């Protein structure tokens, strides 16, 4: 190839690149005008995750001027939806409802690498509960009973590697007790079994057990977060009851595929921040046993989830049930 031919070829390439840059910039600036946004939820319609995501979608529509569709993709403890979004084009039109901390199956998308959190939308405290027949009324009174018979105080959770399982494992580590988890396929049957006394304890979210606590069918021994839950103000935190440094609970966030334009992630983060700061959102969270997240920058959200997951992975490895 002659020097003149090479020179002409590179001029054409340079011209093509130069012409494409304004188009790419315009596409980023126009997000989300091109098409409807879809938020994939890895759980069935009607649950707390679905309800919150649908409210978020309505509010995002008002702020963005674009249609926002909620697509339920249940299966594999939410992993199917996460995989779908992780493989999607990073153009801002396919988002994911993410929740954690959780130890997902091998090969599942890794949060912080295969999926990025754009913004927190909720935090959820967990409760340690037992049947009304248990003689203890709080964790202080329960611990001596567990020390006498640790194998008799296994705890039900909504599944191996779930947030509830991790919270129970942390309690066992803090108390230096060999407490065993009883993994269920979801929390519904776990609630039934702990109410009936089939399971001596359970670590579960507020929503499935709150009514049973208020009706006197379950005892709440403590709450896992560092602050009490307004809907159950008399239930003390674990830390208040002497478990120093204990803090566990769930978080929910909206995730995006890696490679999405930083400016568009920041725009999405700002919109979600407006929504989650509202009184309407606060009331919606309270109705499903969750609380508003603390305000964070987009970078702080990424760092929080990354560092949190590393710590829980380490606990899971120590406790013997693996990590991603």
């Amino acid at each position: 190839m002659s020097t003149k031919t090479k020179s002409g070829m590179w001029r054409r390439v340079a011209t093509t690149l130069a012409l494409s840059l304004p188009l790419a910039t315009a596409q980023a600036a126009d997000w989300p005008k091109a098409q409807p946004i879809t938020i994939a939820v890895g759980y069935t319609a009607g649950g707390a995750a679905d309800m919150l995501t649908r409210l978020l979608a309505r509010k995002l529509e008002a702020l963005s001027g674009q249609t926002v569709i909620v697509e339920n993709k249940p299966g594999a403890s939410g992993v199917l939806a996460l995989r779908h979004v992780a493989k999607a084009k990073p153009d801002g039109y396919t988002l994911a409802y993410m929740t954690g901390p959780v130890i997902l199956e091998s090969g599942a998308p890794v949060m912080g690498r295969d999926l990025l959190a754009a913004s927190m939308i909720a935090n959820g405290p967990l409760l340690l509960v037992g049947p009304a027949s248990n003689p203890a009324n709080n964790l202080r009174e329960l611990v001596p009973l567990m020390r006498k018979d640790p194998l008799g105080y296994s705890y039900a959770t909504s599944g191996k590697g779930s947030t509830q399982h991790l919270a129970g494992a942390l309690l066992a580590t803090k108390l230096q007790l060999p407490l065993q988890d009883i993994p269920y396929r979801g929390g519904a049957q776990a609630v039934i079994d702990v109410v009936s006394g089939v399971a001596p304890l359970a670590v579960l979210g507020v929503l499935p057990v709150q009514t049973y606590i208020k009706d006197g069918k379950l005892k709440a021994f403590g709450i896992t977060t560092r602050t009490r839950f307004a809907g159950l103000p008399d239930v003390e935190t674990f830390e208040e009851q002497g478990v120093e440094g204990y803090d566990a609970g769930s978080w929910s966030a909206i995730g995006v595929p890696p490679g999405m334009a930083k400016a568009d992630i920041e725009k999405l983060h700002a919109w979600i921040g407006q929504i989650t700061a509202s009184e309407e959102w606060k009331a919606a969270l309270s109705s499903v046993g969750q609380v508003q997240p603390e305000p964070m920058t987009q970078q702080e959200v990424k760092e929080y989830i990354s560092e949190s997951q590393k710590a829980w992975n380490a606990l899971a490895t120590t406790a013997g049930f693996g990590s991603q």
Side-chain angles (χ1 to χ4, degrees), residues 197-283:
V198 171
L201 297 172
V203 180
L204 295 167
V206 172
L207 181 61
V209 298
Q210 187 170 10
T211 299
Y212 291 100
I213 293 168
K214 291 183 175 180
D215 291 346
K217 296 179 180 178
L218 282 177
K219 286 184 177 179
F221 300 116
I223 199 158
T224 62
T225 47
R226 282 185 172 161
T227 56
R228 298 190 191 190
F229 178 62
L232 294 167
D234 296 330
V235 180
E236 293 179 286
T237 70
F238 286 0
E239 194 167 50
E240 285 179 300
Q241 298 183 73
V243 187
E244 187 177 348
Y246 188 98
D247 185 23
S250 66
W251 53 259
S252 299
I254 296 299
V256 304
M260 181 175 168
K262 182 175 175 58
D264 294 342
I265 296 176
E266 291 289 355
K267 188 187 293 185
L268 177 62
H269 173 80
W271 282 336
I272 292 175
Q274 289 182 53
I275 296 166
T276 57
S278 70
E279 287 300 314
E280 183 179 3
W281 188 256
K282 180 180 179 179

Side-chain angles (χ1 to χ4, degrees), residues 109-123:
V110 176
M111 296 177 192
R113 185 190 71 191
D114 305 316
L115 283 167
L116 306 179
S119 188
M120 287 287 194
I121 62 171
N123 289 123

Side-chain angles (χ1 to χ4, degrees), residues 31 70 86 174 197 250 298:
W31 182 85
V70 175
K174 291 280 189 184
S250 66
Q298 204 278 313

Side-chain angles (χ1 to χ4, degrees), residues 157-158 184-195 204 208-209 212:
T157 72
S158 61
Y184 284 74
R185 297 187 69 178
Q189 188 61 47
V191 174
I192 293 169
D193 281 3
V194 75
V195 169
L204 295 167
V209 298
Y212 291 100

